[in-house]
Amino acid sequence: MSTRPFAPSRPVAELLLVLGVPAAMIYMAISSAVHGNFAAPGCGPGRILALTLFGPDKQGLTCFRLPFTADLPSLGLGLTSETAVVLYLLLVRRLRNLDVVLAHAETGIFGPDQLTQEPMKSRYAAFVAKLRVSEPRQLLLLVGVVAVGIWFYVNASQNNHVFKALANVQGVAHPDAALQDGYRLSWWARWETDPAMAILWIIVGSIGTYFASRQAYLYFHLARLFREAPKLMVFHHVPARIDRDHGWRPVGRLVGYAYFSLLSFVCSLIVLIYIMRDPDAAVGYRVFVNVLLATVAVVGMVLNVAMVTTLRRGVAHVYETTLRDKIIALNSDSDDAEKAGDPLAARTIRLEAGYLVGDSGYPVRGRALRFASLISGLIPVVKLSHDVLNLYF
């Protein structure tokens, strides 16, 4: 196909996007250091993390401020934002030449001419057209996520759960208002103290949300294409002796990106819920925020899981259909060999068909690695479920 789902690669622009979030984080770290708010005694990130995970230590209450390095939730949002940018660019790079790779002469799972012939031609053209999001729509999305980021910052700067939780994790059962105000007034991203830091805090979070949204849009249409493709074109079976993954490795990488995108989404939700929780807020406000957070968590998880499972099931369905057709063809070849008086060839063909019978399922190998990654992914999922329940109980 001469039509590409994306414009030619622009390495400089991609490099700027990848380095944008780390550059902002480095600037915020340097600015915090210049203003004396990078670190504080007893507020090291290692100690704060240990207190959060394992409870109070024997040092007592020694952290009275909230410097840059002690604000682990904000640092976590910066990390997930960078992950969203990198995963989006990786996905774009793979999609640029996916049709060419999947139509490779030796390891291709379909012929290159099938994308230029009906009925697949129209469907693929529609798929490519949907991936070309117009600049006004991109701008509208960007404005929307920035507006949400501003709302999030305003709420976090006044009612950040870290301001109350930091005292609790250090063993202060009933922290007074002065201590919580101390954390809020010393927060490194406070607008009144350093407006540039507050703006960058909003921008970093908005960038992650923007690219996560665009990534979800791409995956949605990609999953639809794989669900409909088996009805519109013929797929080839690539023997394991030629390619271990039967030609499906490029698609397996896309599924892997989707899995990491899901984990990044879960981690960002955990941080979001942690920051926005405010059990002491007014009832109406607390109910509104809790309903909003729970809705985002449930809807986001359902959509992300549906995206990953749809991709995997689409691949498995296409492969099983291809395998079934291959077995039918081999059985027919075996019968022809029997009729031609060549029992050895017929037996060899039947053995190959018998081997393929037990090879159904997901074609991409490396099951042990996927299982290990799934187990590791259950940890943040369980944590998210616990946080959502804590919004109400």
Side-chain angles (χ1 to χ4, degrees):
M1 291 281 291
S2 59
T3 304
R4 303 256 48 87
F6 295 90
S9 177
R10 294 184 288 271
V12 175
E14 292 186 359
L15 182 63
L16 291 176
L17 285 174
V18 171
L19 296 180
V21 173
M25 298 293 289
I26 292 174
Y27 172 84
M28 288 189 285
I30 295 175
S31 179
S32 297
V34 170
H35 291 85
N37 208 16
F38 179 78
C43 304
R47 179 171 185 263
I48 298 301
L49 181 61
L51 290 172
T52 303
L53 295 177
F54 306 112
D57 55 22
K58 296 180 180 179
Q59 298 183 34
L61 179 63
T62 56
C63 182
F64 296 94
R65 300 172 56 193
L66 187 53
F68 179 83
T69 53
D71 190 1
L72 299 184
S74 294
L75 297 179
L77 286 178
L79 178 61
T80 56
S81 293
E82 175 66 7
T83 302
V85 174
V86 172
L87 287 175
Y88 172 80
L89 293 177
L90 287 175
L91 177 60
V92 167
R93 279 182 169 270
R94 295 296 180 185
L95 286 178
R96 280 196 184 110
N97 65 342
L98 183 63
D99 54 350
V100 176
V101 173
L102 295 182
H104 189 271
E106 295 183 357
T107 61
I109 58 177
F110 55 74
D113 59 323
Q114 293 196 71
L115 295 180
T116 60
Q117 298 176 357
E118 297 295 353
M120 190 60 190
K121 179 181 178 181
S122 299
R123 183 65 190 89
Y124 187 73
F127 168 71
V128 173
K130 283 186 172 59
L131 297 187
R132 294 184 180 277
V133 181
S134 63
E135 291 185 0
R137 291 186 178 182
Q138 294 182 39
L139 181 60
L140 181 62
L141 173 62
L142 184 59
V143 170
V145 296
V146 170
V148 173
I150 293 174
W151 178 86
F152 179 42
Y153 173 83
V154 171
N155 283 268
S157 63
Q158 299 299 321
N159 304 296
N160 197 325
H161 185 62
V162 178
F163 302 153
K164 300 177 181 179
L166 187 56
N168 293 332
V169 298
Q170 295 182 90
V172 182
H174 302 287
D176 55 30
L179 180 59
Q180 296 178 10
D181 287 341
Y183 293 135
R184 181 172 58 84
L185 295 175
S186 64
W187 188 37
W188 62 275
R190 186 168 177 259
W191 173 267
E192 293 81 358
T193 306
D194 195 338
M197 300 286 274
I199 292 174
L200 283 177
W201 193 93
I202 295 171
I203 290 176
V204 167
S206 300
I207 287 175
T209 305
Y210 174 78
F211 282 102
S213 301
R214 293 201 62 178
Q215 187 181 165
Y217 177 81
L218 296 180
Y219 272 119
F220 172 75
H221 289 290
L222 185 65
R224 288 189 60 187
L225 181 68
F226 272 101
R227 189 175 60 215
E228 299 173 5
K231 306 173 186 176
L232 306 175
M233 60 193 299
V234 177
F235 287 83
H236 306 152
H237 177 265
V238 179
R241 65 178 180 273
I242 297 178
D243 182 76
R244 185 191 71 171
D245 299 317
H246 306 281
W248 285 95
R249 187 175 304 175
V251 182
R253 291 193 182 102
L254 299 182
V255 176
Y257 296 157
Y259 174 75
F260 282 111
S261 176
L262 170 61
L263 287 183
S264 178
F265 175 78
V266 171
C267 292
S268 62
L269 270 181
I270 292 173
V271 176
L272 178 65
I273 292 176
Y274 183 83
I275 292 177
M276 295 297 291
R277 283 189 65 220
D278 189 6
D280 301 327
V283 176
Y285 174 82
R286 186 173 70 249
V287 170
F288 168 74
V289 171
N290 289 353
V291 170
L292 179 63
L293 293 173
T295 301
V296 172
V298 173
V299 173
M301 281 297 298
V302 169
L303 292 179
N304 273 272
V305 171
M307 175 183 68
V308 176
T309 56
T310 300
L311 275 173
R312 285 182 56 89
R313 287 179 179 177
V315 171
H317 174 68
V318 173
Y319 180 66
E320 290 177 355
T321 302
T322 305
L323 204 61
R324 181 194 62 202
D325 295 341
K326 180 67 174 180
I327 293 172
I328 292 174
L330 288 173
N331 289 333
S332 177
D333 292 343
S334 176
D335 294 339
D336 292 342
E338 287 281 4
K339 294 176 182 178
D342 191 351
L344 180 60
R347 177 177 174 80
T348 303
I349 295 173
R350 282 198 299 270
L351 286 175
E352 183 180 356
Y355 172 76
L356 294 180
V357 169
D359 198 35
S360 61
Y362 192 64
V364 182
R365 297 301 182 253
R367 291 185 176 88
L369 181 61
R370 291 201 306 274
F371 179 76
S373 63
L374 179 63
I375 293 299
S376 65
L378 287 177
I379 298 174
V381 170
V382 171
K383 169 63 176 172
L384 175 63
S385 302
H386 178 265
D387 288 350
V388 172
L389 289 175
N390 278 344
L391 291 175
Y392 297 97
F393 302 104

